[in-house]
Amino acid sequence: MSSFTASRILIFGGTGTIGRYITSALLRAKPAFQQVVLFTSPKSAQEKAAQLNEWKAQGLSVIVGDLTSEADVTAAYKGVDTVISAVGRGGLQHQFELLRLAEASESVQWFLPSEFGTDIEHNDKSPNERPHQVKLQVRKYIRENLKRLKVTYVVTGPYFDMWVNAVPDFEVAGGFLPDQKKAYVIEDGNGKVGFCTMSDVGKFVAATLKAPQESFGKALKVQSFVVTPNEVLAEYERQTGAKWEVVKTLLDEIRAFETKKWEEGHPLATLVTLRRIWAEGGTLYAQNDNHILGLGPEALDSLEAAVKKALAARR
Ligand SMILES: NC(=O)c1ccc[n+]([C@@H]2O[C@H](COP(=O)([O-])OP(=O)(O)OC[C@H]3O[C@@H](n4cnc5c(N)ncnc54)[C@H](OP(=O)(O)O)[C@@H]3O)[C@@H](O)[C@H]2O)c1
């Protein structure tokens, strides 16, 4: 495997929230990958036809199929050396079979499971965090069952583009409301959080594929920037030329809110848990792995650029 080069790539979930940034980045990569293939459902193929046509013009091949069908997946794996799964939370459990078939395939050498988020093995509390459970099971399955296939997890922390927006009725978990010039910060707002912008997630995945030997067997922790909510607030105030109202929430209040949302079976309970984990320092490292991929600050989004984009998105 020392001479392995990722050249024929297959991506599942590549039209999704983060998948589309990954697909776009792979198509833009220089030097280009020999082949980038997207496996998508008939529903997405129909609903996202305009996006798919745009990508096809840039060299993308598209396979329409059912990712729960052994025959469809086995056929799609033919000749592919690298598989990226960016399936959504609702589809994470399908990865056991995608991995089993990849291990059995003659060509697939490398698999990047759908992580692209919080570090699920960060500390001794991580094994009990509810949103981590299926991803933890996927890692366990890989450890216990795969002998041949190489695996890399790309751990990005929260997407700044999403985290920055306070969610209606969930403002206590943190976020910003540019229209009201209002900021919801946790505790004193000085807790650091490591973020990726969604566009940088695409760059990090493309860079990972260019560095197989350095990435095999690792959970790569990558970050666009590490900042505090107060620094984000200061940047918003600078760019809007206005003083914002600040609402502070204690971590214990968020924990109580989180418990209530899980008891109610609320679909956004996961969001509250993740925001609590990030506020507790769940994205912080002595050193991240950006250097392994050769991506320095000049190649990545800055806080200034990310806030500018967040403001532009609301106009
Ligand atoms: N760090 C963060 O802040 C953050 C935020 C959001 C998500 N994430 C992570 O990023 C990864 C991808 O999530 P996403 O939100 O981008 O995914 P998504 O948009 O919900 O779904 C991505 C694609 O997965 C495929 N899929 C197949 N079966 C599925 C099923 N049963 N349920 C859901 N999707 C299914 C679909 O592709 P086709 O129709 O094309 O087959 C879908 O378009 C996940 O691991 C998630 O935890 C991280």
Side-chain angles (χ1 to χ4, degrees):
M1 287 293 275
S2 61
S3 61
F4 175 80
T5 304
S7 60
R8 296 179 178 272
I9 325 292
L10 178 75
I11 173 164
F12 293 103
T15 64
T17 307
I18 201 57
R20 66 195 132 101
Y21 288 89
I22 297 172
T23 304
S24 294
L26 297 190
L27 292 172
R28 277 196 310 264
K30 300 273 183 293
F33 296 106
Q34 212 172 326
Q35 192 174 31
V36 182
V37 186
L38 175 83
F39 186 107
T40 192
S41 61
K43 185 167 178 280
S44 290
Q46 193 181 22
E47 290 173 1
K48 300 172 183 172
Q51 173 70 84
L52 292 175
N53 286 335
E54 202 180 298
W55 281 334
K56 280 184 193 167
Q58 296 167 40
L60 182 75
S61 306
V62 176
I63 295 175
V64 179
D66 172 3
L67 62 71
T68 67
S69 151
E70 178 166 345
D72 285 4
V73 172
T74 303
Y77 279 171
K78 286 225 165 73
V80 162
D81 54 61
T82 304
V83 175
I84 301 172
S85 166
V87 294
R89 277 194 173 277
L92 292 175
Q93 75 284 0
H94 299 314
Q95 295 182 113
F96 299 107
E97 193 60 2
L98 296 181
L99 283 156
R100 186 184 71 78
L101 295 173
E103 174 84 357
S105 109
E106 282 177 8
S107 62
V108 180
Q109 308 290 328
W110 194 12
F111 199 112
L112 278 61
S114 186
E115 289 251 347
F116 313 115
T118 308
D119 182 2
I120 59 169
E121 294 182 337
H122 192 77
N123 58 29
D124 55 1
K125 282 171 70 183
S126 303
N128 300 317
E129 300 289 8
R130 296 204 212 198
H132 297 352
Q133 293 312 308
V134 186
K135 288 185 181 181
L136 284 169
Q137 283 164 25
V138 169
R139 287 197 186 189
K140 183 169 187 281
Y141 176 87
I142 287 166
R143 272 195 302 271
E144 293 177 358
N145 296 281
L146 303 191
K147 307 242 169 329
R148 187 187 64 77
L149 202 64
K150 305 287 185 199
V151 172
T152 299
Y153 308 106
V154 180
V155 174
T156 62
Y159 306 152
F160 183 83
D161 326 40
M162 290 184 169
W163 172 90
V164 78
N165 297 312
V167 176
D169 299 330
F170 286 74
E171 294 90 347
V172 354
F176 295 76
L177 292 175
D179 301 340
Q180 298 174 34
K181 301 214 169 22
K182 202 164 172 181
Y184 292 86
V185 304
I186 297 167
E187 298 279 340
D188 62 2
N190 285 325
K192 285 190 176 171
V193 183
F195 294 102
C196 264
T197 63
M198 293 169 79
S199 139
D200 281 350
V201 174
K203 283 184 216 160
F204 280 121
V205 174
T208 301
L209 296 197
K210 301 275 182 190
Q213 302 307 330
E214 296 81 357
S215 305
F216 284 162
K218 293 205 176 100
L220 294 172
K221 282 83 173 196
V222 294
Q223 299 173 319
S224 301
F225 45 76
V226 182
V227 293
T228 68
N230 284 345
E231 286 168 332
V232 178
L233 171 64
E235 186 57 30
Y236 262 125
E237 290 185 333
R238 195 182 69 77
Q239 291 195 26
T240 57
K243 199 83 194 141
W244 285 33
E245 182 189 345
V246 180
V247 181
K248 291 183 176 164
T249 314
L250 297 175
L251 259 171
D252 275 344
E253 291 176 75
I254 297 181
R255 291 185 186 113
F257 183 68
E258 177 189 355
T259 304
K260 185 162 166 276
K261 289 298 150 193
W262 281 109
E263 280 167 6
E264 287 170 4
H266 198 291
L268 292 183
T270 294
L271 175 133
V272 184
T273 297
L274 292 174
R275 283 182 179 250
R276 187 259 302 152
I277 291 170
W278 302 333
E280 284 176 338
T283 63
L284 302 181
Y285 309 99
Q287 187 185 20
N288 63 33
D289 294 322
N290 292 11
H291 61 284
I292 293 180
L293 303 178
L295 287 175
E298 69 294 338
L300 300 169
D301 286 328
S302 62
L303 172 62
E304 180 183 357
V307 166
K308 197 167 172 196
K309 203 187 266 181
L311 282 171
R314 308 193 69 95
R315 288 196 191 109

